[in-house]
Structures are given as structure tokens and as C-alpha cells.
Amino acid sequence: MTQTSYDRVKLARDNGRPTGLDYIQNVFKDFLELHGDRRFADDPAIVGGIATLCGDPVTVIAIEKGHNAKERSLRNFGAPHPEGYRKALRLMKQAEKFGRPIVCFIDTSGAYCGIGAEERGQGQAIGENLMEMSTLCVPILSILIGEGGSGGALALAVADRVWMLQNAVYSVISPEGCASILWKDASKAADAAASLKLTAEDAQSLGIIERILPESDLGQKKFYDRISLLLHDELKLLSADTDLIGKRYARFRNLGVSAVETHTRSPYEHLPKLLP
């Protein structure tokens, strides 16, 4: 039976999938969690700290959903507050200071959109992450392990390499939200999912990600061991690159550019000419 885009969404949301903490505990060693954004509070929806990867020090940051009802409530169902994104940025800047590569694990339906989060600057926190990550001078590798929802996911994905698990999804909006806006009917989520091009294969074909990680042994020791080696090898290559910032800029600047377009065209040529 052919798997639809919405089937992938359901798999990405499955309660049995490994969460960010599962990856931290099984891929890395000697993890030391660091807390707080030094402005307001600590956000349990984002876990971050220092660890070793095949003996090398790294900074690792993960959006954590939790496995059961108690954990999910504690982690706000993986919907970070502004202080979570500010904590993540604090750890990234710390990593830059000490020359540590950064690894991010992303699994969120989106940033928390409650009144308190808006009052504390949710949009600004996400925007600052996008801006600051684009100029960090250490390697950044982000992996979408489940849901990758909107700016809440992108705030940890301005990276040199972005990978996705085979059944993860990456989208500007949830299928249900899209269907509610376009058709005023959330039951058309499957149609919306097909249009959003949110699967790993879609993202790779559009140049949004570099690698798809198979899930045949998801959650098993050999699965984590394989990811550990892939991460170590990729970060070693990135650490030797002397033009990380320039290539990171070019990576995102080229997203959505058609193969037939050239960079000689003016970005303003489609606008009406106001002067002769």
C-alpha cells in the first residue's frame, strides 16, 4: 500500500518514536545539562548542554516532547517558550566561545503560542536565533527526528547540514492548520499534507536537507551507533572548512532558486519602475 504524506505525519507524531533525550542519552557520552536563559526561566521543552561525541566535546540541544502524559505536560508537549530559544542561543554562543560543534535535534509541532510566550517575545526570540545562528563560526548540524513545525523548528535549523529521519516531516504549518485556513475544514488535512511537500524526500528534492536517515532499526543500539558515526564524520569535515559562514549563507540563500535562474538578475526587477 502506498504511503501518503499524511501517513508520514502520523508516523512523525507517533508516541513510540525516540525523543530528543533518547538521542542525547544514546548517541553522546558524559552529557551535562545546562539550564536557564539568564533572563526569565528554564524551559523544559528544550534540553541542552555539553557532551562528548566519539571522544570529542560538542554542544547538544534538543526539543523534548516526553513519552507519557506526565512527561509531555512537563515538557509542554515539545512547544518551546521564548526562554527555551534564548537558552538554546546562550548555549550556542557558549559553544562558539570554546570552539565546540553544535548538534540540534528537532521535534516540535511549533513554538508555543500562548499569551505569556507572546508577552515575553516569542517572535523576537526565534528571529534572534535565526540571525545569530547564521553567523556562528562553529559547525552546526541539525536533525529533524519527528515533527518540524514552522519557525519553532527553524529556530534550531539554521545549520551547515540539515538531516531528517525517513518518517520525519518539515513544514511551515501543520496539515490541520493549513486545511483550516484554506478550506475552513481541518478534516482535509490529508489534502493539505500532500500539497505542503513536507516529507523527507520532498525536502531533499528541494535542497532543504542534505541527508535522509533510514528508520529500519529505529531506537535500537545499532541505529544510535550509526548516527553517532555519521555525526562525528560530518562534524570533522565541517570543522576543517575555513568558510563555514559563507557556505552557510549560500546554502540558505539558494533555497527555492530554480536551476535555470542565475544570480545576475536583480532581486527588484519584478517591481514596477517608479522613475524613468
Side-chain angles (χ1 to χ4, degrees):
M1 183 177 177
T2 303
Q3 199 175 51
T4 67
S5 296
Y6 198 54
D7 290 332
R8 294 288 186 91
V9 174
K10 293 176 181 177
L11 288 171
R13 294 171 175 170
D14 189 89
N15 290 338
R17 289 182 72 84
T19 64
L21 270 174
D22 293 322
Y23 287 87
I24 290 176
Q25 293 165 357
N26 289 281
V27 173
F28 304 89
K29 303 292 184 184
D30 309 313
F31 176 64
L32 174 65
E33 185 175 359
L34 301 175
H35 297 273
D37 67 342
R38 302 297 187 267
R39 297 190 194 181
F40 180 75
D42 183 53
D43 183 5
I46 292 186
V47 178
I50 307 166
T52 58
L53 176 65
C54 299
D56 296 331
V58 298
T59 288
V60 57
I61 300 166
I63 299 178
E64 172 65 20
K65 281 185 173 180
H67 286 290
N68 54 45
K70 183 177 180 180
E71 290 178 357
R72 286 179 176 252
S73 178
L74 172 67
R75 305 289 179 179
N76 201 35
F77 300 88
H81 289 79
E83 48 270 24
Y85 292 114
R86 293 187 177 115
K87 172 172 68 173
L89 181 56
R90 180 176 74 84
L91 297 181
M92 291 181 200
K93 298 292 283 186
Q94 182 193 78
E96 181 182 46
K97 178 179 179 180
F98 292 102
R100 291 191 297 266
I102 300 164
V103 180
C104 299
F105 294 96
I106 299 166
D107 184 13
T108 180
S109 58
Y112 186 59
C113 56
I115 293 175
E118 296 299 327
E119 289 175 340
R120 296 193 300 276
Q122 184 72 284
Q124 181 184 24
I126 291 173
E128 286 178 349
N129 277 30
L130 304 184
M131 179 179 67
E132 295 287 351
M133 288 182 75
S134 67
T135 59
L136 291 177
C137 62
V138 291
I140 310 170
L141 197 156
S142 298
I143 306 178
L144 290 111
I145 59 174
E147 288 186 277
S150 193
L154 189 60
L156 295 183
V158 182
D160 302 292
R161 299 288 185 272
V162 180
W163 298 351
M164 285 180 70
L165 264 67
Q166 182 180 356
N167 291 316
V169 294
Y170 198 12
S171 174
V172 69
I173 191 172
S174 70
E176 294 82 3
C178 178
S180 296
I181 293 171
L182 293 183
W183 296 293
K184 312 298 181 186
D185 184 359
S187 68
K188 293 190 176 182
D191 295 329
S195 300
L196 285 168
K197 303 295 182 184
L198 44 67
T199 68
E201 290 81 6
D202 291 328
Q204 189 175 50
S205 69
L206 293 169
I208 296 170
I209 66 168
E210 282 75 30
R211 184 191 289 269
I212 299 173
L213 301 172
E215 297 187 13
S216 57
D217 50 1
L218 182 67
Q220 300 178 28
K221 183 180 183 301
K222 59 182 179 179
F223 170 78
Y224 294 119
D225 289 345
R226 185 172 71 251
I227 289 181
S228 177
L229 291 174
L230 288 172
L231 282 173
H232 183 259
D233 290 346
E234 194 67 43
L235 290 176
K236 188 174 181 180
L237 288 173
L238 290 170
S239 296
D241 196 325
T242 58
D243 187 27
L244 272 180
I245 296 175
K247 290 180 180 177
R248 191 182 304 145
Y249 172 84
R251 180 190 185 278
F252 284 91
R253 185 67 180 84
N254 289 330
L255 291 183
V257 176
S258 170
V260 299
E261 287 184 303
T262 68
H263 295 289
T264 59
R265 294 172 57 186
S266 167
Y268 307 111
E269 65 182 22
H270 66 289
L271 298 176
K273 293 182 179 180
L274 303 180
L275 297 174

